[in-house]
Amino acid sequence: MAKIIGGLSTSHIPAIGNAISREMFEDEYWKPFFDGYPPAQQWLADVKPDIAVVIYNDHGLNFFLDKLPTFAIGAAPEYTNVDEGWGLEPLPPYPGDPDLSWHIIESVIEDEFDITSCQEMHVDHAFTVPMSLFWPDRAKRPVKTVPVVVNTVQHPLPKPARCLAFGQAIGRAIESYDSDEKVVIIGTGGLSHQLDGTRAGFINKDFDEMCMEKIVDDPEALAKYSIHDIVELAGAQGAELINWIVMRGALTGKVSEVHRNYHIPISNTAAGMMVLENRA
Ligand code: DHB
Ligand code: FE
């Protein structure tokens, strides 16, 4: 059966994509952020996953406010990147894995998560920026991908407990997939940030650090919060934390932390990243 070898999480701020294009890795503003990633890149080079299941939120590119699924899963042979308005240079398409996608879709629906299946899907910065951070050669495509989209944009958003359970259902699905391939789960977005309204610029370092602790070995502690608590504590866009919770739910074995980085601010966001290993 396919093996889930670990989970990675990272913020997905669009400005990172521009900084990568301009190779600003040694720039004073960017260095403490980019310096967090080589250990993750090295870990990936060591464990050599075949597939990445990417849990992220679409920002109006593929779904808009008129039609917005709570959970959607891609089942396309490839995923095309289009600029949704941040001026990022579009990257080459990402290969899909329709067989695994359909296996996950069938399994989670059997498990009573009635997701939307997407045989065509465009991917935005929340998918591409993390892929570029973890696999920095943007011309290469070393893994097949399965995009999983969570609504973190328009209320009502799914509650953290439901996201943890959804991740667990994805984990069960992957582990019942007849293949000897190795899979990593990537959760993107967060940590605390709010882009608009009277709390624009809001950041909550204490809450972020607590989340990074709990996500390793007590994700149930995060699942106890209501989604409104998360918005209050992490900011309106900090609700992207639920993508990390889905990722953690899919790690069904013994989880240990390999690496983390936390840096305030990148653009308006507390930028966090983690590498978690999952042992059967
Ligand atoms: C920013 C953060 C995000 O998560 C996003 O999707 C867009 C912008 C920011 O901090 O600029
Ligand atoms: Fe975002």
Side-chain angles (χ1 to χ4, degrees), residues 152-271:
T152 73
V153 173
Q154 175 162 265
H155 290 263
L157 311 183
K159 63 184 183 181
R162 185 73 174 152
C163 291
L164 188 65
F166 182 47
Q168 288 162 346
I170 292 171
R172 284 192 293 275
I174 296 167
E175 285 177 340
S176 64
Y177 183 56
D178 189 7
S179 158
D180 56 8
E181 289 168 301
K182 293 184 276 184
V183 181
V184 287
I185 318 291
I186 299 178
T188 93
L191 287 168
S192 59
H193 63 299
Q194 171 141 347
L195 300 179
D196 49 17
T198 52
R199 293 205 305 160
F202 175 80
I203 275 177
N204 187 345
K205 183 170 186 238
D206 290 343
F207 182 70
D208 291 339
E209 286 180 338
M210 185 278 293
C211 289
M212 293 176 101
E213 282 306 314
K214 294 293 181 194
I215 203 127
V216 182
D217 46 25
D218 189 13
E220 287 76 15
L222 303 180
K224 288 190 184 126
Y225 288 96
S226 74
I227 191 67
H228 301 286
D229 292 336
I230 299 283
V231 169
E232 189 174 336
L233 289 161
Q237 282 70 40
E240 291 171 347
L241 174 70
I242 60 178
N243 300 330
W244 291 41
I245 295 175
V246 175
M247 174 280 288
R248 178 58 183 85
L251 308 182
T252 48
K254 195 168 165 358
V255 173
S256 55
E257 181 178 336
V258 175
H259 179 66
R260 76 165 78 172
N261 195 52
Y262 182 75
H263 175 70
I264 301 171
I266 290 296
S267 186
N268 298 290
T269 299

Side-chain angles (χ1 to χ4, degrees), residues 69 71-73 104-105 108-109 112-118 166:
F71 298 123
I73 300 181
I104 295 173
I105 289 166
V108 300
I109 289 182
E112 302 178 1
F113 287 90
D114 302 320
I115 57 89
T116 301
S117 58
C118 304
F166 182 47

Side-chain angles (χ1 to χ4, degrees), residues 2-248:
K3 240 196 215 142
I4 301 168
I5 56 172
L8 302 111
S9 55
T10 178
S11 304
H12 61 215
I13 306 145
I16 300 164
N18 274 322
I20 293 173
S21 294
R22 294 198 276 152
E23 299 185 2
M24 299 180 78
F25 310 112
E26 297 300 318
D27 177 88
E28 190 187 341
Y29 179 86
W30 287 100
K31 189 170 166 43
F33 169 77
F34 282 120
D35 278 355
Y37 288 83
Q41 295 157 1
Q42 186 58 52
W43 182 80
L44 286 164
D46 292 342
V47 299
K48 296 187 185 55
D50 303 291
I51 303 165
V53 173
V54 185
I55 323 288
Y56 71 106
N57 57 297
D58 181 87
H59 295 71
L61 173 68
N62 196 74
F63 305 112
F64 201 62
L65 302 180
D66 58 336
K67 299 179 197 75
L68 196 40
T70 301
F71 298 123
I73 300 181
E78 68 172 20
Y79 302 97
T80 307
N81 172 220
V82 181
D83 174 27
E84 74 277 20
W86 295 97
L88 300 182
E89 97 187 67
L91 299 176
Y94 295 81
D97 186 345
D99 283 347
L100 176 58
S101 287
W102 282 113
H103 176 80
I104 295 173
I105 289 166
E106 285 174 12
S107 179
V108 300
I109 289 182
E110 185 61 27
D111 249 341
E112 302 178 1
F113 287 90
D114 302 320
I115 57 89
T116 301
S117 58
C118 304
Q119 296 185 62
E120 281 180 35
M121 195 188 265
H122 293 308
V123 291
D124 72 8
H125 72 273
F127 180 100
T128 62
V129 164
M131 292 300 283
S132 301
L133 286 168
F134 292 136
W135 287 278
D137 185 344
R138 298 196 296 178
K140 291 207 178 122
R141 294 285 175 261
V143 288
K144 296 181 286 181
T145 57
V146 175
V148 176
V149 180
V150 177
N151 173 26
T152 73
V153 173
Q154 175 162 265
H155 290 263
L157 311 183
K159 63 184 183 181
R162 185 73 174 152
C163 291
L164 188 65
F166 182 47
Q168 288 162 346
I170 292 171
R172 284 192 293 275
I174 296 167
E175 285 177 340
S176 64
Y177 183 56
D178 189 7
S179 158
D180 56 8
E181 289 168 301
K182 293 184 276 184
V183 181
V184 287
I185 318 291
I186 299 178
T188 93
L191 287 168
S192 59
H193 63 299
Q194 171 141 347
L195 300 179
D196 49 17
T198 52
R199 293 205 305 160
F202 175 80
I203 275 177
N204 187 345
K205 183 170 186 238
D206 290 343
F207 182 70
D208 291 339
E209 286 180 338
M210 185 278 293
C211 289
M212 293 176 101
E213 282 306 314
K214 294 293 181 194
I215 203 127
V216 182
D217 46 25
D218 189 13
E220 287 76 15
L222 303 180
K224 288 190 184 126
Y225 288 96
S226 74
I227 191 67
H228 301 286
D229 292 336
I230 299 283
V231 169
E232 189 174 336
L233 289 161
Q237 282 70 40
E240 291 171 347
L241 174 70
I242 60 178
N243 300 330
W244 291 41
I245 295 175
V246 175
M247 174 280 288
R248 178 58 183 85

